[in-house]
Amino acid sequence: MKKVGIVIPIYNVEKYLKECLDSVINQTYTNLEIILVNDGSTDENSFNIAKEYTLKDKRITLFDKKNGGQSTARNVGIEYFSGEYKLKNKTQIIKENSLIEFNIEGNNPYEIYTIYKSYKAFNDEQDLTSFTYPIIDYIIFLDSDDYWELNCIEECVPRMDGVDVVWFKEKILNETNLDISTQTIFEKYYLKNTLTNVDWIEIQSQKGNFFQFVCFGMINFAFLKRIKISFKDRIIGEDRVFGILLFLQCNKIYMLDLELYFYRIRENSTCNYANTGDSFSRYHLQLFSGGKNIKRHIRIYSHIKMLLALIKYCKKSNNQVNIEICRKNFIPSFYNGIKNEYLKCEKINTRYKYIFVNIDKYWIEFCINKPNNLFFIFYKSKFLFKFFILCYTIIFRFKLPKR
């Protein structure tokens, strides 16, 4: 029986969390390893609800960490299932109706404070010292303000045979659970049950430059580890670049024409970045010297990180079809997003100068790095190339009107 790992980031969702977790622990498919990641919640009950469910279900492991954004919380789940954390038990004696506590030994980049597990998961104190990560076959992500149909996992697992991803439909709701009738991303791509990488690229070339994928499907975990992608930290819209890089490298995708995911659109979701009280926004306030136009700066910064990730992939890839769709669709989209937001900034931060020098360097290098190109000899002169990039950035890009 295949084991499925579930990763659920939690941040200030006390109103919706029980509905979410009930839909998980009551799945008809039961061979699950459930990772809850409390990303520094500041509301009254989110963390307590997470602990309550951890206590009663031994399949749950709860991570409590410093607030760092949804990407970091998802990455904790990937890294845990990949065996990157060494756990040391803080609790020495197992007591009934209690949570067992563990610490991270060694490298702890996301500042995980404590890991919790139910006493039900251990037979004796010897089990505490040997506790380690589980081996999973598939991984799936769920946002903590959303929920699943109870047969979600059962529908996905048998269809994972021979494919890298199972992609299912979502139903979009508002905060009062009212169905919002709108065309989903799934419906825009659904032509047949199984898509190859080439099929997806052909459809994508017709649909334009927008694509995103994280929660609406199941992923083969061995495949995810092999292609070595994770979520970009401290950005918004991380599901765009994650989805693009994932599907570019898939061999086969199964399109499951069932509404299994209930996606809630609400004002204060985990995607909301207007709250300057959390460390995600404080990071950007510090990075961009003040709070003016902070949303715009975060959007620019996010597009920059995603653009560089795509350029890095293209420089390493030998797949010319994948490179071509990045060159024609995705890379120009992120580049234009940066440019359009940048023009609207009232204050151009000096940190952007270094960032844009690097973007322009990578982009121009990517475009001209071919032996039969007229610019190839110029590019090979590293001094001239870097001097050109610097002049281009200073003279052209930073004499843009500031409004």
Side-chain angles (χ1 to χ4, degrees):
M1 193 176 188
K2 300 294 186 180
K3 181 160 286 189
V4 179
I6 301 168
V7 180
I8 307 174
I10 297 170
Y11 180 74
N12 291 357
V13 284
E14 58 185 359
K15 183 178 177 181
Y16 309 104
L17 186 55
K18 286 188 176 183
E19 183 178 36
C20 171
L21 298 181
D22 283 338
S23 79
V24 175
I25 65 173
N26 294 313
Q27 284 289 306
T28 54
Y29 191 94
T30 58
N31 193 21
L32 310 174
E33 286 289 340
I34 305 160
I35 304 302
L36 308 182
V37 185
N38 180 51
D39 191 38
S41 293
T42 56
D43 62 358
E44 187 174 350
N45 290 315
S46 289
F47 185 39
N48 289 331
I49 292 170
K51 290 170 93 173
E52 173 192 334
Y53 277 76
T54 303
L55 181 61
K56 69 182 181 181
D57 195 315
K58 66 180 182 180
R59 297 172 297 175
I60 297 176
T61 304
L62 170 61
F63 287 74
D64 181 34
K65 64 180 282 294
K66 182 179 180 180
N67 177 259
Q70 190 165 240
S71 291
T72 65
R74 287 171 175 162
N75 285 340
V76 164
I78 294 173
E79 291 181 0
Y80 173 65
F81 284 135
S82 299
E84 295 183 26
Y85 299 145
K86 185 178 180 182
L87 306 184
K88 181 175 176 58
N89 58 302
K90 185 166 29 171
T91 302
Q92 302 297 323
I93 300 173
I94 298 174
K95 296 180 182 178
E96 195 168 345
N97 296 321
S98 66
L99 289 171
I100 307 300
E101 298 183 11
F102 296 85
N103 290 330
I104 297 283
E105 275 195 329
N107 190 34
N108 187 9
Y110 295 125
E111 297 186 62
I112 298 165
Y113 303 133
T114 307
I115 300 101
Y116 298 90
K117 193 80 178 169
S118 174
Y119 74 98
K120 297 176 183 178
F122 306 96
N123 295 318
D124 52 42
E125 279 71 18
Q126 183 62 36
D127 286 351
L128 301 181
T129 59
S130 59
F131 177 62
T132 187
Y133 68 98
I135 304 298
I136 63 168
D137 298 288
Y138 311 131
I139 190 168
I140 188 168
F141 299 93
L142 172 63
D143 286 346
S144 50
D145 51 355
D146 302 331
Y147 61 98
W148 286 328
E149 288 282 12
L150 295 183
N151 63 336
C152 177
I153 305 298
E154 187 173 26
E155 291 288 351
C156 290
V157 168
R159 294 173 170 93
M160 282 296 302
D161 187 31
V163 303
D164 297 315
V165 172
V166 167
W167 182 6
F168 47 71
K169 291 172 69 175
E170 77 274 19
K171 183 186 285 289
I172 302 175
L173 310 172
N174 64 13
E175 292 193 60
T176 60
N177 282 349
L178 181 67
D179 184 9
I180 302 173
S181 296
T182 183
Q183 187 181 31
T184 65
I185 295 177
F186 178 97
E187 290 167 329
K188 295 177 182 178
Y189 288 81
Y190 182 63
L191 294 178
K192 53 186 179 180
N193 283 343
T194 305
L195 295 180
T196 65
N197 168 272
V198 175
D199 293 331
W200 176 76
I201 289 174
E202 287 179 358
I203 299 170
Q204 184 63 52
S205 64
Q206 299 167 13
K207 299 296 181 183
N209 53 40
F210 185 83
F211 184 75
Q212 62 182 21
F213 179 91
V214 173
C215 291
F216 305 144
M218 184 176 286
I219 305 168
N220 184 307
F221 192 59
F223 164 70
L224 186 68
K225 288 197 296 182
R226 188 176 76 247
I227 63 176
K228 297 179 181 178
I229 64 170
S230 58
F231 295 93
K232 298 298 172 187
D233 296 348
R234 301 186 183 278
I235 67 169
I236 57 165
E238 69 280 357
D239 48 351
R240 288 190 65 190
V241 70
F242 180 86
I244 291 168
L245 291 174
L246 181 73
F247 275 57
L248 281 174
Q249 299 173 81
C250 281
N251 288 319
K252 288 185 180 179
I253 303 127
Y254 189 93
M255 304 287 287
L256 179 54
D257 190 19
L258 292 174
E259 288 182 339
L260 299 175
Y261 192 105
F262 294 91
Y263 175 64
R264 182 178 280 114
I265 295 178
R266 63 188 183 89
E267 185 178 355
N268 295 312
S269 70
T270 51
C271 297
N272 187 314
Y273 50 98
N275 175 17
T276 57
D278 60 48
S279 67
F280 174 79
S281 291
R282 286 199 302 271
Y283 170 83
H284 291 93
L285 285 169
Q286 184 179 24
L287 182 63
F288 299 122
S289 303
K292 203 166 190 180
N293 300 312
I294 186 64
K295 285 188 178 182
R296 186 165 291 129
H297 284 298
I298 294 174
R299 286 196 294 270
I300 294 172
Y301 179 79
S302 298
H303 277 89
I304 286 169
K305 295 266 281 189
M306 290 188 281
L307 173 61
L308 290 177
L310 284 181
I311 292 175
K312 181 179 178 181
Y313 165 75
C314 288
K315 290 175 70 175
K316 290 183 176 181
S317 176
N318 295 319
N319 189 318
Q320 291 305 311
V321 176
N322 288 1
I323 292 172
E324 195 62 23
I325 194 169
C326 286
R327 188 195 298 273
K328 287 184 176 180
N329 287 42
F330 299 127
I331 289 176
S333 169
F334 287 120
Y335 204 95
N336 288 330
I338 296 165
K339 181 183 68 176
N340 293 336
E341 293 290 349
Y342 176 87
L343 282 167
K344 297 174 185 176
C345 290
E346 294 180 7
K347 179 183 178 182
I348 296 176
N349 192 286
T350 54
R351 286 179 181 265
Y352 282 141
K353 295 183 180 181
Y354 176 76
I355 292 170
F356 273 111
V357 165
N358 276 288
I359 287 179
D360 291 328
K361 175 181 179 297
Y362 282 121
W363 173 239
I364 295 173
E365 177 183 334
F366 172 67
C367 290
I368 70 175
N369 192 14
K370 293 184 178 180
N372 59 351
N373 196 293
L374 292 175
F375 292 102
F376 182 71
I377 297 174
F378 169 73
Y379 163 68
K380 285 300 180 182
S381 175
K382 297 294 186 182
F383 174 77
L384 288 176
F385 180 72
K386 290 179 180 178
F387 181 73
F388 166 75
I389 295 297
L390 185 62
C391 291
Y392 165 79
T393 303
I394 293 172
I395 295 171
F396 294 101
R397 189 173 294 285
F398 292 100
K399 289 208 171 181
L400 294 170
K402 306 175 183 64
R403 59 179 187 266

